[in-house]
């Protein structure tokens, strides 16, 4: 992944996630409350104990993990797969794999714990985009893309149908440095929302992945400096809001509406992860009629191996 010069610490993502650097936070005056707070070090997110039953008392029957791996071969070398083997999800969804199936490490391609594996990659650019879905149980059906040629060239969506639900893993396109793809992103949002609504008329739906938007100010460290940057523009935030209005729910914010400092991405620059200068870009979104079945929505912020951390959903289905 190319790096383009020195970036400031609140900036978003490299490659297609690039943004204009945001201003550095102003330093507090000596003796001020902020100075005292900063002297104590950064505020890190503490993932609370996993809740394994739903509010109505149903025990979880499905555990799904989603992770933007920022290149699956590099992630494998950084022992990302070892973390997955400890987490033991029933289904593993990966984004930004940047790898054709034939180029996968054998340990991933032949992984016995997940006999049902599905891969999508970019038609036009090698080593770009890409998603994967690995499942212990065999889906009823698997499809790729959203059925529109404009949006299906970059290997961004896999949909697995199971007996009682759909699972969609997605790597949503970013508006890019200078917002050069913002118009395209807006067209994507409309088309993707329509696709998900169509699925949800047939059976409940779970969407997971890197959705490349921080929905609310609480979802990133420096909202004021990023209002014109990819991932936090009014247009992208509105697009995500319209998805929720269309009958879906952000599981993390449903369960933890006021929890701050909960991020899933940190740029490699400026020691951002250690300072917890991050963005929440990775989500589990579900049909609202599944909300009563959600046991927990986790952010595994201490798991290393990528510039994103994994997220995990416990669901009673």
């Amino acid at each position: 992944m190319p790096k383009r010069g020195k970036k400031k610490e609140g900036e978003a993502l490299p490659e297609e996630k690039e943004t204009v650097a945001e201003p550095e936070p102003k330093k507090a005056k000596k003796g001020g409350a902020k100075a005292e707070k900063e002297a104590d070090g950064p505020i890190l997110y503490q993932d609370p104990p996993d809740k394994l039953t739903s509010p109505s008392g149903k025990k979880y029957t499905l555990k799904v993990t989603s992770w933007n791996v920022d290149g699956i071969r590099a992630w494998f070398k950084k022992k990302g797969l070892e973390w997955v083997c400890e987490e033991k999800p029933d289904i593993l969804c990966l984004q930004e794999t940047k790898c054709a199936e034939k180029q996968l490490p054998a340990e991933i391609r032949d992984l016995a714990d997940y006999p049902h594996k599905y891969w999508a990659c970019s038609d036009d650019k090698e080593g770009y985009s890409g998603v994967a879905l690995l499942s212990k149980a065999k889906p009823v059906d698997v499809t790729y893309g959203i059925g529109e040629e404009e949006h299906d060239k970059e290997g961004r969506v896999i949909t697995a149908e199971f007996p009682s639900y759909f699972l969609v893993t997605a790597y949503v396109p970013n508006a890019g440095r200078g917002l050069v793809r913002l118009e395209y992103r807006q067209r994507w949002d409309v088309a993707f929302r329509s696709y998900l609504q169509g699925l949800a008329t047939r059976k409940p739906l779970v969407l997971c992945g890197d959705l490349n938007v921080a929905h609310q100010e609480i979802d990133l460290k420096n909202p004021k400096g990023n209002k014109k940057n990819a991932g936090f523009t009014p247009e992208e935030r509105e697009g995500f809001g319209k998805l929720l209005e269309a009958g879906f729910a952000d599981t993390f914010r449903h369960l933890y509406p006021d929890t701050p400092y909960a991020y899933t991405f940190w740029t490699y620059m400026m020691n951002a992860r250690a300072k917890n200068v991050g963005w929440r870009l990775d989500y589990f979104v579900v049909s609202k009629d599944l909300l009563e079945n959600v046991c927990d929505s986790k952010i595994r912020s201490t798991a290393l191996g990528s510039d994103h951390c994994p997220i995990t959903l416990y669901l009673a289905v």
Side-chain angles (χ1 to χ4, degrees):
M1 180 181 292
K3 302 290 188 290
R4 302 190 182 181
K6 193 170 183 180
K7 300 182 180 181
K8 300 188 189 280
E9 68 178 34
E11 181 185 1
L13 329 163
E15 197 202 60
E16 67 173 54
K17 303 173 189 172
E18 289 175 343
T19 72
V20 177
E22 68 181 62
E24 294 275 6
K26 293 181 180 178
K27 292 183 179 179
K29 294 180 180 179
K30 288 184 179 180
K34 187 175 180 182
E36 290 178 14
K37 186 177 180 182
E38 288 179 351
D40 294 334
I43 301 174
L44 304 178
Y45 175 68
Q46 300 294 324
D47 190 24
D50 297 5
K51 292 182 282 190
L52 304 182
T53 56
S54 70
S56 60
K58 298 177 185 174
K59 186 176 180 180
Y60 86 95
T61 55
L62 178 67
K63 182 179 182 180
V64 184
T65 291
S66 176
W67 198 348
N68 178 317
V69 295
D70 188 29
I72 195 169
R73 286 168 288 187
W75 170 82
F76 175 73
K77 290 177 183 177
K78 295 175 185 176
K79 301 184 178 181
L81 187 59
E82 291 183 16
W83 183 90
V84 170
C85 292
E86 293 176 3
E87 182 78 353
K88 295 184 174 68
D90 300 304
I91 303 173
L92 173 65
C93 296
L94 305 175
Q95 303 87 41
E96 205 173 357
T97 53
K98 301 182 183 178
C99 186
E101 186 174 356
K102 62 184 179 183
Q103 297 172 321
L104 289 166
E107 292 88 344
I108 295 175
R109 192 174 56 245
D110 303 330
L111 191 61
D113 287 348
Y114 299 91
H116 309 287
K117 306 179 188 68
Y118 308 92
W119 310 91
C121 58
S122 173
D123 294 338
D124 300 328
K125 295 183 189 177
E126 189 173 335
Y128 175 78
S129 190
V131 292
L133 189 151
L134 294 77
S135 179
K136 293 182 177 180
K138 186 177 181 180
V140 174
D141 188 32
V142 174
T143 57
Y144 301 86
I146 63 174
E148 294 194 19
E149 186 178 354
E150 179 187 17
H151 304 302
D152 289 346
K153 297 176 181 178
E154 296 180 348
R156 293 185 176 276
V157 177
I158 296 176
T159 301
E161 180 181 357
F162 291 92
S164 60
Y165 64 95
F166 285 105
L167 176 63
V168 180
T169 182
Y171 177 38
V172 169
N174 185 271
R177 182 180 287 278
L179 304 180
V180 293
R181 293 192 91 190
L182 180 57
E183 251 184 65
Y184 171 68
R185 167 61 182 268
Q186 290 176 276
R187 294 198 303 275
W188 163 281
D189 283 348
V190 172
F192 191 43
R193 183 170 68 248
S194 176
Y195 172 72
L196 297 174
Q197 285 179 285
L199 291 177
T201 62
R202 297 165 55 191
K203 59 180 69 173
L205 178 146
V206 177
L207 164 66
C208 68
D210 178 358
L211 304 189
N212 256 322
V213 61
H215 184 217
Q216 302 170 0
E217 291 196 354
I218 195 175
D219 294 320
L220 72 166
K221 173 71 174 188
N222 295 318
K224 288 183 181 178
N226 278 293
K227 290 183 177 179
K228 295 181 180 180
N229 288 345
F232 198 60
T233 63
E235 293 87 351
E236 291 162 298
R237 296 170 65 192
E238 181 183 5
F240 187 77
K242 286 182 177 178
L243 176 63
L244 300 185
E245 291 168 5
F248 300 96
D250 171 358
T251 58
F252 183 81
R253 281 292 166 229
H254 173 73
L255 295 173
Y256 306 100
D258 303 312
T259 299
Y261 311 112
Y263 310 130
T264 66
F265 165 82
W266 307 260
T267 177
Y268 285 125
M269 302 297 178
M270 302 297 292
N271 205 23
R273 189 160 189 169
K275 298 174 183 177
N276 200 25
V277 178
W279 302 56
R280 189 170 73 97
L281 301 176
D282 303 83
Y283 295 78
F284 280 103
V285 170
V286 300
S287 304
K288 285 186 176 175
D289 52 1
L290 270 183
L291 273 179
E292 64 181 19
N293 301 84
V294 173
C295 303
D296 211 349
S297 188
K298 312 300 296 175
I299 294 177
R300 307 300 200 195
S301 56
T302 60
L304 303 177
S306 171
D307 51 1
H308 291 249
C309 73
I311 56 175
T312 290
L313 181 73
Y314 289 98
L315 194 65
V317 290

